[in-house]
């Protein structure tokens, strides 16, 4: 799908046909984290996996705020021109919270994948600042090496091909984009009070070994969302869409099949 955003004409990767899903990636990644999943879902859905601003498919300026990332996803959702099932992975979930606060009428169901509603605390903000200093001084390499064991479970870290695939995705991001993501996450608002106002069908998914958004935290988040379903993916770390794509595709496919109007 082609669309115009901030004066740029850009392509949003799309596959399949049917009801529309928009999948929002996390940090320090791009839309490719959804590739294994979109292959599995595109026999039932039209799957859009946009790159947030500052990535290869999206040269728009990454404006360092969750609200500006939400502006872009809002544009994608509006341009889809149909009822949308929206899924956000980790930072992508933070973007979805900002978008959902605007009550977009075309989003009919929401999947929150390995994400959390709270803002960073003081230590979290200091860690973002330290990572910004690292990427400015040393580039993306150290960020990739620090993130890999946080993204993947210990078993996932033993799968050399998977590790290499995730490393490649991280290393193709520019230092400016990494810095923009870090600043946007550092300054993101707390969305905990908003959870009770989520008035559409919602699924919360988390990897059993996720250490960034833990299963306990995710379950507690799902309990604050009226009627939300909760699912833990056995054996996965944080990056469930790449580590256990079959299980996540099954969960999202079944959920959106039920929840989206035909
Ligand atoms: C992500 O996976 O998008 C980030 O690691 C989330 C975070 O650091 O808060």
């Amino acid at each position: 799908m082609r669309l115009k955003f901030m004066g740029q004409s850009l392509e949003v990767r799309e596959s399949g046909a049917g009801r529309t899903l928009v999948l929002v990636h996390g940090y320090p990644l791009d839309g490719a984290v959804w590739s294994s999943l979109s292959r599995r879902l595109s026999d039932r859905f039209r799957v859009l996996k946009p790159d947030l601003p500052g990535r290869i498919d999206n040269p728009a300026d990454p404006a360092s705020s969750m609200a500006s990332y939400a502006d872009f996803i809002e544009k994608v959702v509006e341009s889809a021109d149909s009822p949308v099932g929206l899924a956000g992975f980790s930072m992508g979930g933070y973007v979805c919270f900002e978008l959902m606060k605007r009550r977009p009428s075309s989003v009919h169901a929401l999947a929150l994948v390995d994400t959390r509603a709270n803002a960073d605390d003081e230590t979290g903000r200091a860690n973002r600042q330290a990572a910004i200093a690292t990427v400015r001084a040393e580039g993306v390499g150290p960020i990739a090496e620090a993130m890999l064991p946080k993204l993947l479970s210990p078993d996932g870290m033993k799968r050399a091909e998977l590790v290499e695939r995730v490393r490649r995705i991280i290393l193709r991001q520019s230092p400016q984009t990494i810095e923009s993501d870090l600043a946007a996450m550092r300054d993101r608002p707390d969305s905990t009070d908003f959870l009770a106002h989520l008035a559409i069908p919602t699924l919360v998914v988390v990897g059993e070994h996720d250490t960034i958004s833990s299963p306990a935290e995710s379950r507690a988040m799902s309990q604050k969302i009226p009627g939300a379903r909760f699912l833990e993916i056995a054996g996965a770390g944080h990056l469930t869409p790449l580590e256990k794509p079959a299980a996540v595709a099954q969960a999202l496919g079944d959920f959106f099949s039920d929840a989206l109007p035909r």
Side-chain angles (χ1 to χ4, degrees), residues 22 67 77-78 80 95 97-98 231 247:
V22 174
V77 161
E78 281 169 1
V95 176
F97 286 132
E98 289 318 298
L231 181 71

Side-chain angles (χ1 to χ4, degrees), residues 214-229:
S214 72
E217 204 177 359
S218 295
R219 185 185 289 276
M221 179 172 77
S222 74
Q223 287 165 347
K224 295 193 174 93
I225 303 171
R229 304 184 206 172

Side-chain angles (χ1 to χ4, degrees), residues 26-27 89-91 94 116 128 147 151 185 212 238:
Y27 161 86
F89 163 71
S90 201
M91 183 182 77
Y94 313 157
R116 52 197 166 145
R128 305 289 190 200
M147 281 307 291
L151 291 169
M185 291 192 289
I212 294 181
H238 183 60

Side-chain angles (χ1 to χ4, degrees), residues 90-108:
S90 201
M91 183 182 77
Y94 313 157
V95 176
C96 290
F97 286 132
E98 289 318 298
L99 176 55
M100 294 312 298
K101 288 172 193 168
R102 303 173 189 175
R103 306 195 186 281
S105 57
S106 49
V107 178
H108 286 245

Side-chain angles (χ1 to χ4, degrees), residues 66-79:
M66 234 30 99
S68 70
Y69 286 163
D71 290 343
F72 172 64
I73 297 301
E74 186 169 29
K75 181 84 191 184
V76 174
V77 161
E78 281 169 1
S79 307

